[in-house]
Amino acid sequence: MFEQYVKDYNEAIIETDKEAAIAVVEEAISNGVTPEEVVFKIVMPAVEDMMQLVIDNLDTNLAQHFMTAQIAAEITEKMLAQFSAPPEIIGKAVIGSSFGDLHSLGKRIVMGCLKSMMVDVIDLGVNITAVDFVDAAVEHDAQVIAVSSMMMHTATGEEGSLQIRELLHERGLEKKIKLIVGGSPFRYDKELYTSVGADNWAPDGISAAKIICQLIHEVKAS
Amino acid sequence: MTPLEILVAALTGQAAPRIPVFCNFLDYGPGELNMTPKEYFSRGEYMAEGQLKLLKRYGHDNAWCMSYVGIEAEILGCQEILFPKKGAPNVKDFVIKSWDDIEKLTIPEDISQHPHWQTTADCLSILSQEIGTTNPICAYASSSNTLPILLMGMEKWMELVLMGPKDLREELMRKCSDFCQQQVKAFRKAGAHIILYATSFGTPYFISKKMIAEWAVPWMKNDLQGDAGGIVYYCGGAPMNEVVDTVMKEVGIGAYYISPLDDLAEAKKIINSNGLTCAAIDDIKMVHWTVEQTRAEVKRLIEIGKPGGHFLFGSSLMPLELPEENIVAMIEAAFKYGRQ
């Protein structure tokens, strides 16, 4: 029966059918599945499956990424309130769109996935200065700064990631806080992230969540 | 032959001395006139002067009568545009802040009479007088599925498309399609030869092919009202190969601005001599290429696309970070390898 819930939930995600996904979870809960099992054995694996589809370059689209993240975030939030004990948070990330950039879809996908993966993610919003990114990361004790840029001038501009790198360097924070970038320009030039001083990059929101988790583990291990 | 005749020859498959060479110098005008983007885009005369200077400097084929995409939102009530020191302006104030605003949204009866249309109209008028009989003049129009992004932001639009009430989504599409129809008509009337038809949801990178066929395509047909003359299909640089065949058959669009992320050989095979294959060089990678790498990539693209004709070489969005020597090398190589 449990395998059927997993299968039905995954199908709903692929079909971008939020109502069907929620119905599967409600049925599972009413039949005795615990909120912890919903998050860790249904929702999180579905996010990881989508990540694998993206990594394997199989046929997925932005709508599926968006819905995977959106549904995962909503269900996780609902289930967390019903957990028997608070879950272990694996780490923290601050996220925002770079200075001069008002695009917000990419970071919403990343945030949705991160929430279901037990990462505490702080949304700084859009058009964020480098100083605000670094100050927020320090204030929240975050291991990762994630910067979304949808235009070339905001991706490579001196007031964006380049300045964040400078600030991390000046304040001696480079081992404690990692910098990841994402957004359209980085998809066209896979080496572009190095020229803006980032530690890593992701071609889409789903992959970004996975890489952020890796960066958190790196910081914690060092 | 003039550049305009060369373009017509490429579209119709007639003999020409070379392929058309397009450059999208959308962000370069302000620098050409030593102005900030805000100052530059405030007057159609400046925009036309910038395009004409760029045409003279680089010798490519086309000019643009485009200010910035947010102008469409301004015509529909947007109160604030974020002008960067350099680069493309952004919509800062969304006209649709809640779903209730969709009902309130009104499309002007004649957008060509709207004050925000005036800069584009002035620019187009000057370009038509100066180069209208010799060079292709390009305009930009958001499709019905793309205009909502400027009105409510991509995040909220995606939410409405995928999770919102269908009747509300369709109401917004209808209004945006009305706007698109008017804009295409106004551009044609004022002398634009090419209209870049931007369709963000016309790519399988965004939504499923099924949804494109069942939802986006019928609205595209409505946008264009059976007349796809001069229309170039453009997905904001996202891949489109998988839907070209459907769009060609269903909507009748004959020219496709292929993404650098698409396989150009595959695109050429799909479009064949039934339309114009426009190859876009990856000018984000070009920022860090050498002159030799730039020339080699132009040569590679043209060698794929030129056989059989019906082919155009072009830039993508040309970021301001491009080294001058690479721009020059790109255009020189396009002329050299594009000779028939």
Side-chain angles (χ1 to χ4, degrees):
Chain A
M1 191 64 194
F2 191 83
E3 283 71 30
Q4 191 61 43
Y5 294 139
V6 174
K7 188 171 171 279
D8 292 347
Y9 182 85
N10 280 342
E11 272 176 21
I13 294 291
I14 293 293
E15 292 298 321
T16 66
D17 189 340
K18 184 182 167 187
E19 283 174 19
I22 288 172
V24 172
V25 169
E26 282 171 353
E27 195 192 329
I29 291 284
S30 68
N31 285 327
V33 175
T34 66
E36 286 85 346
E37 284 173 322
V38 168
V39 172
F40 296 119
K41 293 186 178 172
I42 299 177
V43 176
M44 203 188 273
V47 172
E48 286 168 350
D49 282 355
M50 184 60 79
M51 285 173 175
Q52 199 54 48
L53 287 174
V54 172
I55 290 165
D56 294 344
N57 207 17
L58 294 174
D59 198 14
T60 65
N61 57 56
L62 196 60
Q64 288 168 325
H65 300 181
F66 177 77
M67 291 304 281
T68 301
Q70 182 67 27
I71 297 165
E74 276 188 43
I75 292 176
T76 302
E77 204 167 307
K78 220 182 260 180
M79 294 295 114
L80 281 176
Q82 300 171 40
F83 269 30
S84 53
E88 190 188 342
I89 297 298
I90 72 157
K92 288 185 183 177
V94 294
I95 190 166
S97 301
S98 53
F99 185 66
D101 206 309
L102 302 167
H103 297 84
S104 59
L105 179 69
K107 74 179 174 64
R108 179 158 163 185
I109 295 174
V110 181
M111 283 164 54
C113 294
L114 286 177
K115 278 180 189 168
S116 72
M117 299 174 86
M118 299 301 127
V119 174
D120 191 0
V121 54
I122 296 107
D123 181 15
L124 304 180
V126 297
N127 193 19
I128 305 301
T129 65
V131 172
D132 285 347
F133 268 115
V134 177
D135 286 350
V138 171
E139 183 193 336
H140 294 283
D141 203 16
Q143 291 84 23
V144 174
I145 294 174
V147 183
S148 172
S149 308
M150 289 304 288
M151 297 180 292
M152 189 65 172
H153 73 271
T154 58
T156 61
E158 286 172 8
E159 293 164 293
S161 301
L162 282 170
Q163 197 181 353
I164 295 174
R165 170 56 60 202
E166 268 178 38
L167 291 168
L168 291 175
H169 180 70
E170 281 169 16
R171 298 187 195 179
L173 294 168
E174 286 177 302
K175 285 188 179 165
K176 288 182 182 170
I177 301 172
K178 297 292 175 187
L179 174 61
I180 178 172
V181 292
S184 183
F186 300 102
R187 294 183 65 235
Y188 292 90
D189 183 351
K190 293 176 175 52
E191 297 303 316
L192 189 62
Y193 79 99
T194 58
S195 67
V196 301
D199 294 298
N200 213 326
W201 78 290
D204 55 80
I206 297 280
S207 312
K210 191 179 177 79
I211 295 167
I212 288 170
C213 290
Q214 287 167 0
L215 290 173
I216 288 171
H217 289 306
E218 275 177 33
V219 172
K220 287 195 160 183
S222 66
Chain B
M1 287 173 90
T2 65
L4 187 56
E5 288 167 338
I6 288 169
L7 174 67
V8 172
L11 281 163
T12 55
Q14 292 167 331
R18 63 169 172 83
I19 61 168
V21 176
F22 273 39
C23 284
N24 304 318
F25 283 114
L26 298 169
D27 295 339
Y28 281 71
E32 201 64 22
L33 268 59
N34 280 323
M35 289 178 177
T36 61
K38 190 169 187 177
E39 192 180 4
Y40 175 80
F41 291 122
S42 68
R43 294 179 70 93
E45 293 91 322
Y46 297 154
M47 287 154 48
E49 189 185 347
Q51 286 295 310
L52 291 170
K53 280 192 165 187
L54 286 159
L55 206 56
K56 197 171 173 187
R57 179 201 290 262
Y58 293 106
H60 53 291
D61 287 343
N62 65 311
W64 276 90
C65 68
M66 180 184 177
S67 45
Y68 44 87
V69 290
I71 203 90
E72 295 178 328
E74 287 188 297
I75 293 171
L76 294 172
C78 163
Q79 298 296 315
E80 191 177 0
I81 297 288
L82 178 69
F83 285 94
K85 286 179 205 156
K86 291 197 293 183
N90 260 229
V91 172
K92 193 168 185 185
D93 164 57
F94 289 127
V95 174
I96 300 170
K97 296 178 178 69
S98 75
W99 287 353
D100 292 342
D101 293 332
I102 291 172
E103 201 182 330
K104 293 177 211 155
L105 180 72
T106 52
I107 307 300
E109 277 189 22
D110 182 358
I111 64 163
S112 67
Q113 298 303 310
H114 196 282
H116 279 296
W117 176 263
Q118 208 50 51
T119 49
T120 307
D122 291 345
C123 175
L124 184 47
S125 168
I126 296 167
L127 291 178
S128 292
Q129 283 169 30
E130 297 288 329
I131 56 163
T133 56
T134 55
N135 294 72
I137 300 172
C138 304
Y140 169 95
S142 289
S143 67
S144 50
N145 67 52
T146 301
L147 184 55
I149 299 168
L150 302 173
L151 301 177
M152 64 197 301
M154 175 61 94
E155 186 182 342
K156 295 289 173 198
W157 176 225
M158 188 68 108
E159 203 174 291
L160 179 58
V161 169
L162 298 173
M163 297 186 283
K166 279 189 180 161
D167 55 341
L168 211 53
R169 178 189 81 185
E170 295 306 284
E171 186 184 349
L172 182 56
M173 288 293 280
R174 183 185 56 73
K175 290 181 177 182
C176 291
S177 193
D178 284 353
F179 183 90
C180 182
Q181 286 170 32
Q182 278 202 51
Q183 189 161 228
V184 167
K185 199 172 152 191
F187 278 135
R188 283 181 177 143
K189 193 177 168 192
H193 303 105
I194 293 289
I195 298 168
L196 195 75
Y197 177 68
T199 170
S200 298
F201 282 67
T203 163
Y205 173 70
F206 265 48
I207 54 176
S208 67
K209 281 177 276 182
K210 185 170 178 271
M211 195 170 179
I212 292 174
E214 291 175 3
W215 174 66
V217 162
W219 278 111
M220 289 180 204
K221 287 162 92 167
N222 198 64
D223 290 350
L224 300 177
Q225 296 284 300
D227 183 0
I231 297 289
V232 178
Y233 193 79
Y234 174 66
C235 298
M240 64 172 76
N241 275 2
E242 288 179 77
V243 296
V244 164
D245 199 35
T246 304
V247 174
M248 199 178 274
K249 280 182 193 145
E250 296 292 324
V251 193
I253 294 175
Y256 295 83
Y257 217 83
I258 303 301
S259 166
L261 302 175
D262 267 320
D263 177 348
L264 180 63
E266 185 188 48
K268 186 71 200 281
K269 200 173 160 191
I270 297 166
I271 299 166
N272 203 352
S273 58
N274 299 315
L276 183 70
T277 303
C278 309
I281 195 167
D282 187 338
D283 51 27
I284 289 182
K285 272 188 188 155
M286 202 165 98
V287 169
H288 295 110
W289 280 341
T290 61
V291 162
E292 289 71 28
Q293 285 174 310
T294 303
R295 283 197 196 110
E297 179 62 3
V298 175
K299 184 172 183 270
R300 186 186 74 81
L301 293 171
I302 293 178
E303 280 176 354
I304 294 170
K306 194 174 75 169
H310 296 274
F311 180 70
L312 174 154
F313 173 85
S315 71
S316 295
L317 289 177
M318 301 195 72
L320 287 169
E321 292 78 2
L322 280 172
E324 168 78 7
E325 61 269 27
N326 284 4
I327 298 174
V328 172
M330 174 184 77
I331 296 169
E332 280 178 1
F335 278 105
K336 179 181 172 187
Y337 299 113
R339 278 198 295 264
Q340 300 288 2

